[in-house]
Amino acid sequence: MRTIRIGSGAGYSGDRIEPAVELAEKGDIQYLVFECLGERTVALAQQARMKNPQSGYDPLLEERMRAVLPVCAAKGIKIVTNMGAANPEAAARKTAAIAKSMGLRGLTIAAVIGDDVLDACKANDLPIMEFEGAVSGFGNRLLSANAYLGAAPIAEALKGGADVVITGRASDPALFLAPMIDAFGWAMNDWNLLGKGTVAGHLLECAGQITGGYFADPGFKDVAGLARLGFPIGEVGEDGSLVVTKVAGSGGAITAQTCKEQLLYEVHDPRQYLQPDVVADFSQVTVEEIGPDRVRVRGGRGTRRPDTLKVSVGYIDSYIGEGQISYAGPGAVARGRLALDIVRERLQLTCVQTSELRFDLIGVDSLHGGALSARNSEPHEVRVRVAGRTDNLREAVRIGNEVETLYTNGPAAGGGATKSARDVVGVASVLLPRELVNPSVRYVEA
Amino acid sequence: MKLREIAHSRTGDKGNISNISVIAYRAENYRLLLAQVTSERVKAHFAGVVEGEVTRFELPNIAALNFVMAGALGGGVTRSLALDAHGKSLSSALLDLEIDEPLGDTSS
């Protein structure tokens, strides 16, 4: 049976770079996938593109490509990535330029376009999934609308001879499903095979999260070598069979436990994992350790794909201002609470306009509120945190200022004050009939 | 005993919804999870944190439960004022849940 090995070179935009180089050099892989596009990254990238038409792609594109292009070109490893963000064509041109500058010739770089569906969303004024309202309600705060594309245009680019395929918004598992379709010629209506491929893609898409990252809990779940964590390789057979493994000698561990945790990561109903190409069913999946850092995963299934595509809509939501300051030693918690009370009163006295405020004592109750916080002995140090939502940046700045003035006006011995203010790009979802989305592929030769 | 003794857990986020997996280290403890880690208990454990409904999905093949918690992320990851906007730390908090140890089998 034919088998391919797909490496997962990044689990988010800022991920470590050298594990991908390790995969390319020592992983015996034919495909290297970089998943780098967070929920609102496209909206932020769209803002950048509006300022400069040549930008709008992942800021780490150049660093990643420079690190892996030479070895991938030498070994014929094909790269698939969503680092195109809001501008896949510019990212493809940039990648071609990088290849030339490194003396790499004869490479074909493909850009998958067509995920930008802002016009279709405006024209159809689709309802928002997360709250009451429709796209028109955003008015001029609307920034972007990008459909989650499936594997077909990526597979088309690979079949068309691309050495590097760069997308914008695409479903994360589809980045992995496309190489399987390319290698094995799976039919786009073989729902069970597409379901199995989606299980593989879902397990691999967060890179280190299946090799022991986001997992260690000393004394309960120990993982060695997290500073040199190896990234995963999926060995996929043409029948959809899957073994998850990594480069021998790299840090981390692949066990039944790490695979189970990642299988359910960001999953709601495991029988219905909605994808552009298939509705995958994870409910019958089993995992089996068959060797050191080798886990066999079986039982993925699928049913017919949805008639709609999920679209991420980016919009300017609000502004957030924040300030922090620390207290330590005996009475630290009491001084921290006094500090919070002072800022609460100051924000009222000085009429700072907020729609939402939050007062935390980091070290005591910042993560889960008062009810769940341990009633242990007093911590040695606490950090006051005040955050508030405002309509404009000027008001947001005033929140952090009121925390900073605790230095000379607040409780004794406050230290390490910091403040920040930022605009908030929110993301909502709509469902768009798939016939309104028309992806296509553009090629650039290096 | 604490849930942490018999299970491990991971949190994921989508919009304003958090999901927490609870996975038995040993398959024979899955029935303890089924009996004692109910959606009602999870909802009560996260009172003040989770505003919406808690739904439980069962995965006997991997001895795991998956809890889907609506209104758990302060309005959503992209706009929340919370320090941990993704709610990634919720899984560890759930492992603090108290589990009754089963009585030994005395029927034989």
Side-chain angles (χ1 to χ4, degrees):
Chain A
M1 182 181 66
R2 287 188 300 149
T3 300
I4 55 171
R5 283 166 63 97
I6 307 172
S8 176
Y12 79 103
S13 62
D15 214 343
R16 293 177 187 167
I17 288 182
E18 74 271 16
V21 179
E22 181 182 58
L23 280 174
E25 286 174 348
K26 301 177 187 167
D28 189 24
I29 55 173
Q30 292 80 51
Y31 299 89
L32 181 55
V33 177
F34 295 93
E35 195 291 288
C36 296
L37 205 49
E39 222 180 354
R40 65 176 157 186
T41 321
V42 175
L44 300 173
Q46 184 62 37
Q47 282 182 306
R49 186 182 178 172
M50 285 188 281
K51 287 177 192 147
N52 172 5
Q54 291 308 309
S55 69
Y57 53 82
D58 189 292
L60 281 180
L61 175 94
E62 177 158 12
E63 195 175 345
R64 286 192 198 284
M65 287 298 180
R66 284 196 179 279
V68 298
L69 269 181
V71 60
C72 287
K75 295 192 173 196
I77 298 167
K78 298 192 182 256
I79 295 172
V80 177
T81 180
N82 54 13
M83 278 190 279
N87 202 348
E89 285 185 277
R93 288 192 297 271
K94 179 70 184 176
T95 302
I98 293 166
K100 276 182 199 159
S101 77
M102 299 183 86
L104 305 168
R105 300 280 159 175
L107 290 180
T108 302
I109 321 292
V112 172
I113 59 172
D115 62 304
D116 183 340
V117 291
L118 189 59
D119 292 339
C121 284
K122 281 180 179 168
N124 292 275
D125 197 20
L126 299 159
I128 306 295
M129 290 168 75
E130 287 86 357
F131 49 83
E132 291 283 317
V135 171
S136 60
F138 292 125
N140 60 8
R141 294 182 299 136
L142 184 61
L143 290 175
S144 62
N146 294 77
Y148 281 83
L149 301 182
I154 307 169
E156 178 196 326
L158 290 167
K159 203 174 174 57
D163 299 287
V164 180
V165 184
I166 302 178
T167 74
R169 186 85 278 167
S171 132
D172 296 348
L175 302 175
F176 295 85
L177 189 55
M180 301 172 209
I181 293 164
D182 172 50
F184 304 132
W186 289 351
M188 292 308 290
N189 62 357
D190 193 328
W191 310 120
N192 274 327
L193 276 180
L194 297 176
K196 289 176 198 296
T198 296
V199 169
H202 172 71
L203 287 171
L204 296 168
E205 67 174 81
C206 293
Q209 279 197 185
I210 198 170
T211 56
Y214 195 43
F215 180 82
D217 191 0
F220 290 81
K221 298 185 295 180
D222 289 291
V223 183
L226 287 173
R228 45 180 190 85
L229 188 64
F231 282 0
I233 298 164
E235 282 180 12
V236 185
E238 62 181 326
D239 62 351
S241 58
L242 170 68
V243 173
V244 183
T245 187
K246 66 187 184 74
V247 172
S250 62
I254 299 176
T255 66
Q257 292 171 6
T258 65
C259 291
K260 289 177 184 178
E261 283 197 17
Q262 190 56 23
L263 182 71
L264 295 177
Y265 179 71
E266 291 185 342
V267 169
H268 293 171
D269 182 349
R271 287 161 302 192
Q272 295 190 63
Y273 188 69
L274 269 56
Q275 288 293 297
D277 299 309
V278 63
V279 177
D281 177 359
F282 295 179
S283 68
Q284 304 304 310
V285 168
T286 59
V287 301
E288 178 194 2
E289 293 176 3
I290 57 172
D293 295 318
R294 287 182 66 80
V295 173
R296 176 174 284 139
V297 180
R298 297 182 216 249
R301 302 190 303 193
T303 53
R304 186 184 166 77
R305 69 187 190 186
D307 292 328
T308 51
L309 291 179
K310 185 177 161 185
V311 175
S312 266
V313 178
Y315 64 98
I316 294 171
D317 182 288
S318 55
Y319 294 80
I320 291 180
E322 184 184 329
Q324 298 187 11
I325 189 166
S326 289
Y327 298 90
V333 171
R335 278 177 286 131
R337 295 219 182 281
L338 175 59
L340 290 177
D341 290 343
I342 293 168
V343 176
R344 189 182 283 116
E345 195 177 340
R346 285 290 304 167
L347 293 174
Q348 280 172 3
L349 278 176
T350 60
C351 303
V352 176
Q353 300 298 306
T354 60
S355 58
E356 192 183 345
L357 277 170
R358 187 180 167 111
F359 299 88
D360 295 320
L361 270 191
I362 296 174
V364 178
D365 63 7
S366 68
L367 295 178
H368 306 132
L372 260 179
S373 300
R375 290 158 194 87
N376 294 329
S377 58
E378 174 158 334
H380 176 71
E381 60 183 51
V382 299
R383 190 156 177 83
V384 159
R385 176 177 182 268
V386 178
R389 189 182 314 289
T390 65
D391 279 343
N392 58 64
L393 193 62
R394 187 175 44 82
E395 291 297 293
V397 165
R398 297 175 68 193
I399 295 168
N401 289 349
E402 285 302 339
V403 175
E404 190 188 61
T405 63
L406 289 168
Y407 266 141
T408 53
N409 300 278
T418 56
K419 58 182 180 180
S420 65
R422 60 185 170 92
D423 63 336
V424 178
V425 170
V427 170
S429 311
V430 300
L431 294 175
L432 188 65
R434 62 189 314 138
E435 61 269 19
L436 296 178
V437 184
N438 299 297
S440 62
V441 182
R442 305 270 172 85
Y443 297 92
V444 185
E445 304 297 328
Chain B
M1 65 178 169
K2 298 287 191 189
L3 177 58
R4 189 184 186 206
E5 302 286 334
I6 60 168
H8 56 110
S9 180
R10 175 170 294 191
T11 311
D13 60 275
K14 268 197 198 324
N16 199 21
I17 300 172
S18 171
N19 84 288
I20 305 187
S21 60
V22 176
I23 305 162
Y25 283 109
R26 300 161 63 91
E28 61 265 33
N29 282 330
Y30 177 62
R31 60 193 174 84
L32 270 182
L33 302 186
L34 268 182
Q36 297 190 41
V37 191
T38 61
S39 31
E40 292 76 18
R41 278 197 78 195
V42 171
K43 168 106 178 147
H45 189 70
F46 287 121
V49 178
V50 175
E51 291 171 358
E53 203 178 325
V54 176
T55 309
R56 183 175 90 167
F57 295 97
E58 298 166 9
L59 295 108
N61 283 328
I62 56 168
L65 301 174
N66 187 39
F67 293 90
V68 178
M69 313 192 299
L73 298 175
V77 173
T78 55
R79 70 187 305 271
S80 169
L81 290 185
L83 186 60
D84 176 14
H86 297 84
K88 285 181 183 282
S89 63
L90 290 168
S91 55
S92 299
L94 185 57
L95 293 180
D96 201 34
L97 205 69
E98 204 61 50
I99 299 291
D100 293 332
E101 289 184 62
L103 298 170
D105 184 4
T106 53
S107 59
S108 60

